[in-house]
Amino acid sequence: EESGKTWNGEEVSQTEFMHKDECILVDNTDTITGHDTKYACHRFEPHQPTGRLHRAFSVFLFNENKELLLQQRAGDKITFPNVWTNTCCSHPLHGYSPSEVDTPDQIADASVPGVKHAAVRKLFQELGIPPLQIPVDKFKFLTRLHYAAEDFDTYGPNAEWGEHEVDYILLIKTPVTVKPNPEEVGDHKYVTMPELQAMMNPASGLRWSPWFRIIAEKFLPMWWDDLDKTLNTDEFVDVKSIHRVL
């Protein structure tokens, strides 16, 4: 049942979020099967060696110069701390108002209002971007990825934390003001494509989230090359596929 929770902007610790927030559980076809805490979903344990598959989203926010806003995840993050990644990566949640649970029809018509509402919520909570600067109707939903990744860098070869997600890709181009929440974000930076490629060169010594590395290598150059076409037409919209990049 939807309990109508809304996020009020109060400071909440990473551990509290892990036990308070409930992710949307899905099967391999992205059909909803239930909901469970963020903690339970991200635990890689013998009875669930790749956690519990759930919905997520990845936002790629560009400024008017078509530069991409990156963030470095804070050192206090429980999964993948200190890695660089796209603008915002998080989860639509069960029980929020407005609803963050998208129906099959909302996926089929590429409207996905639930995921977009979740993106607005998290862009404010992580980066302090005012919701009025990122209206839901400015986001473009492109496609979905299914991936799993253990956090070996943080927890070693028997990592007990990781991600296993059907990830909704959202793009938006708009000027914003950024005031990062230090609990969530360690650093941020706007980059061009050549600057990003230089940062991702292993010689830079920077660490990257596994989902961003996949997207940056397989999809992002195509979308970024003609950003206006990507945002203003449906040429790159693919609502039927769930790209398996496990």
Side-chain angles (χ1 to χ4, degrees), residues 107-124:
I107 297 168
D109 68 16
S111 61
V112 294
V115 167
K116 292 177 181 179
H117 283 300
V120 171
R121 173 176 57 80
K122 287 300 291 185
L123 285 164
F124 176 54

Side-chain angles (χ1 to χ4, degrees), residues 115-168:
V115 167
K116 292 177 181 179
H117 283 300
V120 171
R121 173 176 57 80
K122 287 300 291 185
L123 285 164
F124 176 54
Q125 191 257 323
E126 291 190 3
L127 289 159
I129 298 174
L132 288 176
Q133 294 182 357
I134 43 172
V136 166
D137 61 6
K138 290 199 74 169
F139 288 90
K140 182 80 169 184
F141 168 55
L142 294 183
T143 192
R144 292 169 287 175
L145 279 64
H146 176 187
Y147 72 89
E150 294 168 271
D151 191 357
F152 293 126
D153 283 353
T154 307
Y155 298 103
N158 298 312
E160 66 267 32
W161 292 100
E163 292 285 3
H164 189 193
E165 300 179 332
V166 173
D167 191 17
Y168 285 59

Side-chain angles (χ1 to χ4, degrees), residues 173-193:
K173 186 180 79 170
T174 188
V176 295
T177 55
V178 179
K179 186 181 178 183
N181 174 356
E183 276 259 326
E184 297 277 353
V185 177
D187 199 357
H188 67 284
K189 182 179 184 180
Y190 280 102
V191 295
T192 63
M193 175 61 88

Side-chain angles (χ1 to χ4, degrees), residues 230-246:
T230 300
L231 292 169
N232 298 317
T233 76
D234 289 340
E235 179 165 339
F236 298 113
V237 174
D238 180 1
V239 299
K240 294 183 179 179
S241 300
I242 301 174
H243 301 278
R244 312 291 176 184
V245 290
L246 297 169

